[in-house]
Amino acid sequence: MIDVRALREDPEPARASQRARGGDVELVDRIIEADALRRTALQEFEALRATQKDVSKSVGKASPEERPAVLAKAKELAEQVKAAEAKANEADAEADRLARLLPNLIVDGVPTGGEDDYVELRKEGPQPRDFAAEGFEPQDHLAIGEGLDAIDTKRGAKVSGARFYYLKGIGARLELALMNMALDQAVSEGFTPMMTPTLVTPAVMGGTGFLNEHSDEIYYLPADDLYLTGTSEVALAGYHADEILDLADGPKRYLGWSTCYRREAGSAGKDTRGIIRVHQFNKAEMFSYCRPEDAAEEHQRFLAWEEAMLAKVELPYRIIDTAAGDLGTSAARKFDCEAWLPTQNRWMEVTSTSNCTTFQARRLGIRERRDGQMFPVATLNGTLATTRWLVALFENHQQADGSVYVPEAMRPYMGGLEVLEPVK
């Protein structure tokens, strides 16, 4: 949630943010108007309640002749106070509803526009391979995975429907190797590892900002009034809800390891082959609580840690600064790392890291006490490894005979294997 007081004092940054996102600029003025109505209604309620208290106190002092009139006045005021309280509550709820519709304000430097208006910051890692020069046509990740007996989408669909799969044998070992490598890196950098819940309450899901434009991608269990999480970011953000943190010694950092669930409702017909867009996957997610003035620097650290993982798996990748219109509700800025996908001749997102500034913390009541005052903290998130990485691994490290090269940094997690051989 945005700071309504700051919005009231200077609405132009919010209007500029909405313009950059391609959002509803008039929402800013509706929020300001609703906030004014809320404050007016609250003042009227409090004034009437004060008058009611004074009249109630005067009943005992009134003479027998005056008492009936005073009692009648007290009864009338009681009804007015009740109506004023209902009006104030209604105005407060409407002001809160509108404030929660406004996405986080972007920070300086975020590109304006939509999905295709990102800015490429740089390319890193090895050069994409020239398979034609090597003398063979690359196979896509599913063909390689089936050759290794590592991926089974047919039985996944038989058991659970489209966009489900089994990772088996070497495929399961590869995913665990990636996740364990991410875990070890995070622990070495001071993160606390967490196995998080994958079901959360509406308050936590809404508090993180996922019940706006992305709500159709979330699985909901109405019988339990719980949501399945699409990232452990949600559970990690809720971990300190309604708490006061001590950040005097620096950020609090957690590494969440969880299974994630997404309906992929808006991606019909996209990447339906294999395991690029699936309904269930595993992910290692970094999460940080820090002081707002430290958030931009923390964001750069998250990006560096993601790049360290990508260097370990020896993938060609690029970094993009995501445009405002392609940011989620909570993000003020987001950097994506995209690995090269040779069979599709394109870049594919494998990590993202978002600076959510104080947006989630305000909604979830997460604060820090400094100099006797309370301040909302900032939250950040970033991916260190996920199932989708197998797609880039298989395609970029495949050999002409269908085998797959194992990056050196992964070998200790794979029992020393240097090459994955196809199953005959």
Side-chain angles (χ1 to χ4, degrees):
M1 183 182 292
I2 40 80
D3 182 348
V4 176
R5 180 181 296 178
L7 182 75
R8 187 168 66 236
E9 293 172 353
D10 183 10
E12 189 49 41
R15 293 188 184 115
S17 179
Q18 284 293 88
R19 282 192 289 269
R21 285 177 174 270
D24 180 6
V25 178
E26 292 182 359
L27 175 60
V28 176
D29 296 306
R30 293 202 300 274
I31 293 170
I32 294 171
E33 182 181 352
D35 178 62
L37 291 173
R38 176 191 65 80
R39 288 183 291 121
T40 299
L42 181 61
Q43 288 168 0
E44 290 174 352
F45 163 62
E46 289 177 342
L48 277 170
R49 187 168 59 176
T51 302
Q52 181 194 27
K53 287 180 180 179
D54 290 340
V55 171
S56 296
K57 288 178 182 178
S58 70
V59 172
K61 300 176 183 179
S63 66
E65 294 79 11
E66 298 171 328
R67 188 164 296 170
V70 174
L71 287 171
K73 180 65 174 176
K75 182 179 180 182
E76 180 185 352
L77 279 169
E79 292 175 354
Q80 290 177 357
V81 166
K82 184 178 180 180
E85 183 178 23
K87 182 180 177 181
N89 289 338
E90 183 180 339
D92 184 64
E94 177 62 8
D96 184 72
R97 184 188 72 82
L98 286 172
R100 287 177 178 272
L101 293 178
L102 186 68
N104 199 359
L105 274 58
I106 63 171
V107 298
D108 290 342
V110 172
T112 296
E115 183 178 359
D116 298 326
D117 296 308
Y118 60 84
V119 171
E120 183 181 297
L121 300 179
R122 51 192 162 86
K123 291 186 174 74
E124 299 288 351
Q127 286 293 316
R129 289 166 61 187
D130 185 345
F131 286 95
E134 293 182 33
F136 74 98
E137 183 75 21
Q139 299 183 79
D140 74 4
H141 74 280
L142 182 57
I144 298 164
E146 289 176 339
L148 297 171
D149 199 23
I151 303 174
D152 191 335
T153 56
K154 293 182 177 67
R155 290 186 176 90
K158 178 181 71 174
V159 170
S160 303
R163 301 199 191 214
F164 286 93
Y165 59 95
Y166 285 86
L167 291 182
K168 55 184 296 195
I170 206 68
R173 290 182 65 187
L174 272 171
E175 183 180 61
L176 286 171
L178 283 168
M179 297 287 283
N180 276 302
M181 191 162 68
L183 178 67
D184 284 351
Q185 176 179 297
V187 169
S188 73
E189 297 291 351
F191 284 76
T192 299
M194 303 276 276
M195 299 296 191
T196 63
T198 57
L199 286 165
V200 299
T201 65
V204 171
M205 185 64 81
T208 51
F210 281 94
L211 291 184
N212 287 344
E213 77 274 16
H214 293 298
S215 59
D216 61 343
E217 296 181 12
I218 301 171
Y219 286 104
Y220 175 60
L221 283 66
D224 306 284
D225 195 24
L226 293 172
Y227 289 93
L228 278 167
T229 58
T231 168
S232 59
E233 169 196 343
V234 178
L236 292 172
Y239 185 67
H240 285 302
D242 300 315
E243 294 183 19
I244 299 170
L245 305 184
D246 181 359
L247 300 177
D249 294 329
K252 284 186 176 295
R253 300 184 181 118
Y254 299 99
L255 190 282
W257 180 327
S258 75
T259 300
C260 306
Y261 303 89
R262 293 184 186 174
R263 294 183 63 236
E264 293 286 356
S267 60
K270 294 182 181 178
D271 293 321
T272 56
R273 178 174 164 81
I275 60 170
I276 296 178
R277 289 183 182 268
V278 290
H279 294 310
Q280 177 183 327
F281 54 95
N282 291 312
K283 185 154 68 105
E285 183 81 359
M286 300 180 288
F287 196 88
S288 174
Y289 298 90
C290 73
R291 289 176 170 173
E293 61 268 28
D294 299 330
E297 186 178 351
E298 183 79 337
H299 201 196
Q300 291 296 327
R301 281 192 286 263
F302 269 38
L303 178 59
W305 285 322
E306 291 179 341
E307 290 194 70
M309 276 292 294
L310 287 165
K312 290 173 184 175
V313 294
E314 303 174 26
L315 293 176
Y317 67 94
R318 70 173 183 177
I319 303 163
I320 65 169
D321 195 351
T322 306
D326 198 29
L327 294 175
T329 298
S330 299
R333 187 170 211 166
K334 181 165 74 83
F335 300 119
D336 287 350
C337 292
E338 300 181 330
W340 181 246
L341 200 59
T343 63
Q344 296 189 24
N345 197 39
R346 69 175 179 92
W347 300 95
M348 176 190 70
E349 179 197 328
V350 286
T351 79
S352 68
T353 176
S354 297
N355 177 5
C356 297
T357 59
T358 61
F359 186 85
Q360 294 176 328
R362 288 181 186 279
R363 296 163 75 104
L364 291 167
I366 308 167
R367 297 158 293 163
E368 181 194 16
R369 183 183 286 111
R370 275 194 278 171
D371 302 322
Q373 293 183 287
M374 293 292 191
F375 299 93
V377 304
T379 60
L380 299 96
N381 61 80
T383 307
L384 269 191
T386 186
T387 306
R388 185 184 284 190
W389 284 38
L390 297 182
V391 175
L393 272 170
F394 284 159
E395 294 209 6
N396 284 281
H397 294 320
Q398 65 180 293
Q399 308 300 315
D401 62 356
S403 63
V404 174
Y405 160 84
V406 179
E408 188 172 345
M410 290 188 68
R411 292 172 189 173
Y413 299 92
M414 293 292 295
L417 284 174
E418 297 182 8
V419 175
L420 308 179
E421 299 289 351
V423 176
K424 303 300 183 182

